[in-house]
Amino acid sequence: MDSPIYSPPALRFSTTHAPGRSVVAVAGDVDVATATDLHAHLCDAVNAGAGEAGRVLVADLSHVRFMDASGLTALLRSEAHAHACGARLQLAAPHPCVTRLLCLTGLDRHFEVCAPEPVTGFLASAGRHPPMEPAETGREVV
Amino acid sequence: MTEDTAAMPTGTKLTLRDVVTVRLPAASAYLSVLRTATAGLAARLDFTLDEIEDLRIAVDEACAMLLAEAVPGTDLECEFELTGDAMRIAVSVLTVSGTEPSRDTFAWTVLSSLAGDVDSSVAADDRVTVVLQKRRGAAGAP
């Protein structure tokens, strides 16, 4: 971001396209430093399938370990873009930290939540390599 | 720290305040570091895992709303005061506008739900402070 030396832990994405359906799997912490990246990837997936009516965009949030209000805003803006392109957004298996945030803001009644996606791409190994490097290196400093 | 006691006038009683101040560049990239520090301090106070998670999100939200108005190149200051069964956290930054965060946002909704007690103030130099206090074992958010 605007920091010259330290860069925040980046989100990781794995996008797959199938007829009528795109899945964007997200791993990492969604905060004000990374939310724009989430928005960009979801919009890219919408644009990749543009022109196909009734398309479903699935955001797999099972490997999101932290989310704040900026993440909610990113999801809402991505959903608006999907709607404008004739698609709809579903949230797949949101991590409990995401579900909690949705409930606190009443957005649990707004978003469509669906079942977990089959494990693909980086998610297959994400259990062994959680994207948490800065938290790990920061531990001993305190 | 202990060197100071040598210079104290005799008879002065030192009152130990458990205060930890973390100062970081006012850039979103550093929020993940502050979340880690928050969790570490909360764990020392025997907050439950759920309460620690609440505090991580609350501090993140407070900082994120301040960063939006921060004077570029300045620091974000976060003061943690540990008392017997509570943690009081004051986050402050020099702002360009000197206006308090809007309470009509998802971020404020989340912040006020997760921290029991939240308030904000503006100093004469346009430094805006958000103070939150969370009590251990208090009934949290629904």
Side-chain angles (χ1 to χ4, degrees):
Chain A
M1 294 319 244
D2 43 345
S3 159
I5 299 170
Y6 178 83
S7 59
L11 292 175
R12 294 194 298 155
F13 298 92
S14 169
T15 304
T16 52
H17 298 289
R21 182 178 170 86
S22 296
V23 179
V24 179
V26 191
D29 291 7
V30 183
D31 65 7
V32 71
T34 58
T36 50
D37 215 16
L38 172 62
H39 177 241
H41 274 80
L42 291 176
C43 287
D44 284 351
V46 169
N47 296 341
E52 192 182 342
R55 192 171 181 82
V56 178
L57 170 66
V58 178
D60 183 336
L61 304 179
S62 58
H63 282 69
V64 168
R65 290 293 178 260
F66 179 88
M67 186 181 277
D68 66 12
S70 61
L72 295 179
T73 304
L75 290 176
L76 285 169
R77 290 178 56 211
S78 304
E79 183 185 48
H81 180 68
H83 285 173
C85 298
R88 69 179 214 266
L89 173 70
Q90 292 182 339
L91 309 183
H95 188 273
C97 71
V98 178
T99 306
R100 177 103 197 279
L101 201 66
L102 293 174
C103 292
L104 283 175
T105 51
L107 288 173
D108 55 326
R109 297 187 297 274
H110 173 87
F111 283 113
E112 196 180 337
V113 175
C114 62
E117 286 296 313
V119 172
T120 55
F122 67 82
L123 292 185
S125 59
R128 281 183 291 125
H129 303 289
M132 288 289 189
E133 294 85 4
E136 289 298 308
T137 51
R139 188 176 50 192
E140 299 302 328
V141 177
V142 180
Chain B
M1 282 187 225
T2 46
E3 292 85 356
D4 293 343
T5 56
M8 296 288 290
T10 49
T12 303
K13 182 132 171 88
L14 271 181
T15 312
L16 188 64
R17 266 178 91 221
D18 253 331
V19 177
V20 175
T21 304
V22 179
R23 185 177 290 122
L24 304 154
S28 62
Y30 291 90
L31 279 186
S32 62
V33 177
L34 194 54
R35 291 198 295 271
T36 304
T38 304
L41 287 165
R44 287 282 319 278
L45 278 191
D46 291 333
F47 278 98
T48 65
L49 289 179
D50 283 347
E51 289 166 341
I52 292 171
E53 189 57 23
D54 288 357
L55 275 165
R56 288 178 73 222
I57 303 173
V59 168
D60 172 276
E61 296 290 9
C63 293
M65 55 182 77
L66 289 179
L67 286 180
E69 293 292 318
V71 175
T74 60
D75 287 341
L76 180 78
E77 201 173 292
C78 191
E79 186 186 271
F80 300 84
E81 184 169 0
L82 319 180
T83 63
D85 62 347
M87 174 136 50
R88 180 184 175 278
I89 304 167
V91 189
S92 72
V93 78
L94 282 176
T95 66
V96 289
S97 62
T99 52
E100 292 179 43
S102 164
R103 305 197 174 198
D104 187 24
T105 58
F106 284 129
W108 190 275
T109 302
V110 172
L111 172 60
S112 55
S113 306
L114 297 182
D117 222 351
V118 189
D119 203 3
S120 61
S121 60
V122 190
D125 59 355
D126 287 345
R127 174 170 288 273
V128 177
T129 304
V130 174
V131 180
L132 56 112
Q133 181 154 323
K134 189 164 182 71
R135 202 160 287 282
R136 197 176 56 209

